[in-house]
Amino acid sequence: MSDSFDLRRWRPGPLLPKRDERDFALTFVVAVLCLLACLTALTAISADRGARGWSRQLTGSATIVVRPKGAESPDAAAARAAETLAGLSGVTEARALAKADAEELLEPWIGREALLEDLPVPRLVTVELDPAKPATAQSLDSALQAAGLDASVDDHSRWIGDIERSAALIRWAAIGVFVLIAAAAAATVAFATRAGLAARRDVIEVLHLSGAKGTFIARLFQARFARMAAVAGLFGAAGAAMIGAGLRLAGGGGGLAPVLPLVWSDLAWLLPCPVIAALTAAVAARGVAIRLTGELAG
């Protein structure tokens, strides 16, 4: 068959070209936005895990400050307090810290020079509580008073509250940043859709004269930008996964740091990124396309 009868030569071209010189720049911008969104999600997840871990550690322990009475030495008073609490229901372990350990805890606050030999440093008793049924601060205090000890109980409730408030703040901040990034991506796609419609205004006018509905034209742009955003989301998620894997390997067993304990399973949260990016782009492109085609029709 000669070339003059080759039907492929006469096949109508697509209403929208398969490639546009602006697609690369748009794909790059959306990919960067998806990368930032994924990193924000990983940071929020790991920070929340770290806060929960600290809360569990503080909830499962208590600190007793023991002050000696009369002729009793500080070490003897601490040992007696540990012995008293060790047999209490809800306590798994009670251990008296030596003077050197107590001074080590005070050194960051008052300095090594202030730790004089005759400084009356109170002794500390660390108490590990039963996770299933922990002893309360009231029960610990009652046992110490019954033993005739001058001691105060710190069940870390104030620190737990601070950590929980910080974790909530991190979660809401991450959600806010994620929403802003998604809005920026939608605005970028909307701007690109508007530019694409303006560049092909003659095609749209011909379609309208031919009786094509605005929803038909909107579907063309919706599918185009959804595919573009899906590819960009894939690149963004892959970049975030590589950064997360690098931080995980650099941090060793504890992740990046104790405050950001990233684990391998966190990377699974990045899988929906291309789908979310495609849906966001599709909604933005469809809305702009329908509105602009409506203006042309009017």
Side-chain angles (χ1 to χ4, degrees):
M1 181 180 294
S2 63
D3 292 342
S4 59
F5 293 96
D6 190 354
L7 296 179
R8 289 177 296 180
R9 293 182 55 189
W10 308 104
R11 181 177 299 170
L15 296 177
L16 297 179
K18 292 183 179 180
R19 293 184 180 179
D20 192 304
E21 60 183 7
R22 294 165 295 190
D23 284 355
F24 175 78
L26 183 60
T27 301
F28 176 77
V29 172
V30 177
V32 171
L33 292 173
C34 292
L35 172 67
L36 295 176
C38 290
L39 292 178
T40 301
L42 289 178
T43 301
I45 292 170
S46 57
D48 184 70
R49 179 182 296 108
R52 292 179 185 275
W54 288 358
S55 296
R56 285 194 298 269
Q57 291 178 7
L58 292 176
T59 303
S61 64
T63 303
I64 314 299
V65 180
V66 182
R67 293 170 291 271
K69 296 172 62 176
E72 188 175 27
S73 67
D75 292 331
R80 191 157 62 90
E83 183 180 358
T84 300
L85 297 178
L88 189 66
S89 175
V91 175
T92 58
E93 182 184 4
R95 183 171 63 90
L97 297 182
K99 180 181 179 181
D101 296 329
E103 291 178 347
E104 185 177 352
L105 294 175
L106 290 174
E107 183 177 352
W109 302 96
I110 65 176
R112 170 58 63 179
E113 294 77 9
L115 292 175
L116 305 176
E117 287 296 330
D118 55 349
L119 183 67
V121 178
R123 297 299 186 265
L124 301 179
V125 176
T126 60
V127 179
E128 298 296 328
L129 304 178
D130 186 359
K133 191 177 180 181
T136 64
Q138 292 76 12
S139 62
L140 296 176
D141 186 65
S142 298
L144 293 170
Q145 289 184 3
L149 289 163
D150 181 11
S152 56
V153 180
D154 180 10
D155 61 351
H156 308 152
S157 57
R158 182 168 65 89
W159 304 107
I160 294 173
D162 291 341
I163 291 175
E164 291 177 348
R165 284 190 294 271
S166 299
L169 179 62
I170 291 173
R171 284 194 294 269
W172 284 110
I175 292 174
V177 172
F178 184 84
V179 170
L180 289 176
I181 293 174
T188 302
V189 173
F191 176 80
T193 305
R194 183 182 291 272
L197 284 169
R200 298 169 182 85
R201 185 185 184 93
D202 54 345
V203 176
I204 296 171
E205 290 179 347
V206 171
L207 289 174
H208 269 294
L209 292 175
S210 301
K213 295 182 179 180
T215 53
F216 171 76
I217 302 173
R219 279 198 299 270
L220 295 177
F221 286 88
Q222 176 182 346
R224 178 188 185 91
F225 286 104
R227 288 193 298 269
M228 180 275 301
V231 173
L234 183 61
F235 280 115
M242 288 188 291
I243 294 175
L247 294 177
R248 180 66 178 84
L249 293 173
L256 176 60
V259 71
L260 292 175
L262 189 68
V263 299
W264 291 112
S265 60
D266 291 341
L267 300 182
W269 289 94
L270 306 181
L271 294 177
C273 180
V275 178
I276 296 175
L279 291 176
T280 302
V283 171
R286 183 177 181 84
V288 174
I290 290 178
R291 185 172 66 253
L292 292 182
T293 51
E295 294 175 0
L296 290 174

